[in-house]
Amino acid sequence: MTLTRTRPDAPAARPVDPRRLLRLARLDMTLLWRNRTALFGVVGLPAFFAVMLLVSDGNGHQSAGVPAVLYTGTGDLAFFLLPAVFMNLVSVFTARREELTLKRLRSGPLSDAEALGGSVLGATALYLAQSAVIVVIIATALDGGLPADPVLMLLGMLLGAVVFALLAMALSGVTPTVEMAQLTVIPVLLVSMLGSGFMFPLEEAPVGVRAVAQVMPLTPAVEIARTAYLGRDFTVDGDHGALGLVETWTACVPALLTLAAWIVVGAWLARRYFRWEPRRG
Amino acid sequence: MAKDKIVEVAGLHQRYGDFEAVRGISFEVREGELFALLGTNGAGKTTTMETVEGFRPASAGTVRVLGRDPHRERRAVRSHVGIMLQEGGLFPDLTVAETVDLWRDIVPGARPRDEVLEQVVLADRADVRARQLSGGQKRRLDLALAIVARPRVLFLDEPTTGMDPEARRTTWHTVRGLVADGTTVLLTTHYLEEAEQLADRLAIMHQGTVRVAGTVAEVLAGHGDRISFRIPPQAAVAELPRPHGAEPQVSAGGGGPVATYTLTGPPTGPGVQRALRELLDWADDRRLELAGLEARSASLEDVFLRVAGHPAVEEAHR
Ligand SMILES: Nc1ncnc2c1ncn2[C@@H]1O[C@H](COP(=O)(O)OP(=O)(O)OP(=O)(O)O)[C@@H](O)[C@H]1O
Ligand SMILES: [Mg+2]
């Protein structure tokens, strides 16, 4: 007789089949389309921000030395991580845990990484699609040109997607029902809206506030997106000066490291709090 | 040589925090066999099933499926296994056809959708969303998902709960067909007839332990034959005869109190026939009519009720 004592929910590290991952991402899109409430949450907020850009265009406001619409537009590229990835996935994971579909998916030959990864992939694709719309708006309606460093921008966006997917896993674990998910995401949403500099520049904030804001998860994503798009130093402590290719990357190194640190923290939180099955008793 | 052991459970304990739901059970399921786990609510059947399915490691003891550890080697085991959980797991917004198609896309070697839907008699509901299915239809769709990949081993946790008698029979037919094709099945059920109809062997669990196990015949053996009748109004309970020492048990029945004799003892003992003769002579002498007279061998239900009525040994000592 052998004695085993393992964490019951420890996700086993397994290989991932891209074909299955795509299939599950497609499933998510189908289900999102059929769930109008969820669809509104995931698409409505970004649509509102996109329309705001168009409406505010030409009002002459400036933010940190650039037209406010360009400032906010490039910030949207990071901010959409919240509706499309974070809030979306908190609802998806909570709903599927409670309706036992996560457990059911796991009862088949899917690995844990596949069962969850399909949703992460779908959410990321949605985020990238929404961002693409913003890029088109910036480049055409707002006359802001195309991203100066699209590779860095995309890297920042993808790292941000990983961070917020992991945070969503963790938060879903302490969210009892899908309805409650509307509430549990609020603290992260507020911190991200006010303290990330995506819309309101952090330059004038007191040093202490800035220091805290800089280590929040959305801030580095905003810094990278804006700096890489505009080709000017828009990191929190940056001087907004024009940057060369290499300089753009060096300016963003601290932000990239902050995202990497959040991936480590997020992975730890996800392992700790994510639940495959409803809590009982 | 004995047939391959597909499922082996030895000294399995499973606990949730301080509560021990499964307290040291052992059984095995051989290739091509259907093994039924019966038991009271909360006996630990689902806990046992889910451990065998690899959802959680055993607290103590060993579990092997196809010779492997179903938890640590989950992926390797799962590709040969079909699972039907006790509860749910259907996407409410997918139609029946879409649900089956989803599974066909993620499992290897899937059968055609129509074939599977025919088999569970859901072909005419293919375009209905899962949320609109009745309870029994959901169960059938769940069964379809479990069998879509032609698994070598099937784990079915209460597969026919909520089905009407007709659907239940169809499901039995399906499961029998799968067993005939060589599938090994471990199922749980609260329908004793289901176990009688399908099981090669079975175990009855109560409070985390297996109380009785074996073939249906083995389980019934030693539980005696029964004779019962309604006690005639003219007769007092104390006057009832004791054929070969068997005591009558009196219970309330629809048409008045019912006396039941349980004739245990060695197979060479008195037997129903002689006890009956004694009873009939007794009734004739007194010109009494034994309404509802019935003689039968023990049923699984008798055994089950007996098991369920006995508290666990540890409990009795408290
Ligand atoms: N996740 C859990 N956390 C705590 N206790 C649990 C959990 N799952 C089951 N239990 C307890 O373990 C015991 C066995 O439960 P289990 O579901 O295995 O019973 P069962 O035999 O399948 O019952 P039923 O016939 O009602 O389905 C019960 O007392 C139950 O309350
Ligand atoms: Mg059960």
Side-chain angles (χ1 to χ4, degrees), chain A residues 280, chain B residues 16 19 21 39-48 56 86 157-158 190:
Chain A
R280 279 180 50 172
Chain B
Y16 298 107
F19 177 70
T40 45
N41 289 133
K45 302 179 298 295
T46 297
T47 304
T48 303
R56 52 181 68 89
Q86 176 167 357
D157 198 350
E158 298 193 20
H190 285 298

